Amino acid sequence: MTRSDYYTEHLDEQLDEHGDITPPWAKFPSYEAGSIGWRMGAGETWLCFVSAFLDRLGEDPSAREAYLRRHPPAPHTWTEWVSSVLDTSERDDDDDDDNDDDDDDDAAMLAELEARGLVAADASYDCWRALNPSPGWPWEWGEDILKVARHYTRELSFWSRQVIVDRPTVPAVPATAPASWDPVVHVLRGARPEPALNQGLVALTTFLAAGWPPAPWTCGLEIASFEDSFDDDMGYADAFRLWLMSAFDDRPTLARYLATQREAPEAWRAWLSEQVFLPGSRARSA
């Protein structure tokens, strides 16, 4: 039995009561499009089952669009995938991604699919909320705050929005939590977040316990504080970059966040344009 045969043979085991399969962004909203989560483990397996399901549907665009419409719209970052589901004709994979015409085509594709209701801004957050009506506490994902902040950055952002930003009151905090989470617990119980900015991952998580994290320029940090690090001892500017990369799938949601912050100085605006790429425009940041 080939690998493809396996997914075809076991496809029915993955279908819901309506004979459908959950699209990837709704099944695993905590995986960013293009992340390693889709190239190994549960994400890769699910994509293979989705591919087998689409093969079963056939190449009729109306049947494929009807399938997509039965489920939540895709995030902007899944635009190209959604387009390929609807148009099964062979595509040229050798195009130069930096070509201006390609950028214009991508923006037009996004606009068309959004107008049709097949992609939407902030879609992953809505999917995550549907799967996590009672999200609990982030230390349930791990006792070590550094590991959770480093590897569950996207989940932390969704959790913060659901529990802190979108609710009038924070639910009662449990009496005990792992010691490394003390700064977060203090903030959840009403303390002002005042973390050490040289401990970037702890600072980011502590700020998230109070809502949207502040941009580094609002904390008085200079652009020189950014070290392009992904190590556990990264400073706050680097942790903020990690959060930007994890938390946002579209320009409108990023713009909504940036509107809550003081306008970035020129050096930080240039930094944003280099660090953040989201679909929908030739520009790289909001």
Side-chain angles (χ1 to χ4, degrees):
M1 177 185 295
T2 67
R3 194 164 182 260
S4 177
D5 289 340
Y6 171 85
Y7 292 111
T8 300
E9 180 174 327
H10 293 274
L11 175 60
D12 288 341
E13 301 166 18
Q14 311 302 325
L15 304 183
D16 62 22
E17 64 272 20
H18 305 294
D20 255 356
I21 194 165
T22 306
W25 55 86
K27 180 69 173 179
F28 297 109
S30 60
Y31 293 174
E32 304 101 302
S35 77
I36 195 172
W38 300 112
R39 300 192 296 276
M40 61 184 295
E44 180 187 26
T45 297
W46 197 255
L47 277 181
C48 290
F49 278 122
V50 172
S51 178
F53 177 82
L54 292 171
D55 287 343
R56 180 183 292 182
L57 274 184
E59 297 190 358
D60 179 8
S62 61
R64 288 174 167 236
E65 181 166 345
Y67 158 66
L68 292 172
R69 289 189 178 281
R70 291 193 293 270
H71 297 277
H76 284 195
T77 46
W78 285 87
T79 296
E80 187 174 349
W81 189 89
V82 171
S83 179
S84 71
V85 167
L86 297 173
D87 181 2
T88 59
S89 61
E90 185 175 352
R91 296 179 180 273
D92 183 0
D93 293 329
D94 295 326
D95 288 345
D96 183 355
D97 289 340
D98 294 328
N99 185 279
D100 287 349
D101 291 338
D102 291 341
D103 291 337
D104 291 339
D105 290 345
D106 290 345
M109 181 193 304
L110 171 59
E112 177 193 348
L113 293 177
E114 190 163 33
R116 292 163 66 179
L118 298 177
V119 301
D122 217 13
S124 290
Y125 176 54
D126 291 337
C127 291
W128 192 83
R129 288 194 61 159
L131 292 176
N132 297 275
S134 301
W137 303 101
W139 49 83
E140 295 170 1
W141 306 332
E143 293 189 359
D144 187 337
I145 190 173
L146 292 178
K147 290 183 178 179
V148 172
R150 179 69 181 81
H151 299 291
Y152 292 82
T153 318
R154 187 170 170 92
E155 291 92 331
L156 275 172
S157 184
F158 289 162
W159 169 83
S160 173
R161 291 180 61 185
Q162 184 173 0
V163 176
I164 310 300
V165 178
D166 291 347
R167 293 181 63 156
T169 59
V170 178
V173 182
T176 59
S180 70
W181 288 89
D182 283 349
V184 171
V185 171
H186 292 327
V187 171
L188 289 172
R189 290 176 176 163
R192 179 185 176 88
E194 296 179 327
L197 297 181
N198 63 330
Q199 300 175 24
L201 291 173
V202 175
L204 174 67
T205 310
T206 304
F207 283 134
L208 284 168
W212 288 118
W217 56 88
T218 70
C219 299
L221 293 177
E222 300 292 337
I223 194 68
S225 66
F226 176 69
E227 298 180 342
D228 198 15
S229 171
F230 286 98
D231 296 333
D232 285 352
D233 62 353
M234 70 180 79
Y236 183 63
D238 294 273
F240 182 78
R241 187 265 301 268
L242 177 64
W243 176 71
L244 286 178
M245 294 171 61
S246 302
F248 297 100
D249 296 329
D250 58 84
R251 291 170 54 79
T253 307
L254 175 59
R256 181 157 57 90
Y257 161 72
L258 290 173
T260 68
Q261 305 295 300
R262 190 178 75 240
E263 183 177 359
E266 182 177 352
W268 281 110
R269 290 200 301 272
W271 177 85
L272 281 170
S273 71
E274 292 297 324
Q275 300 300 326
V276 181
F277 177 75
L278 293 169
S281 171
R282 199 174 302 165
R284 288 179 175 262
S285 68

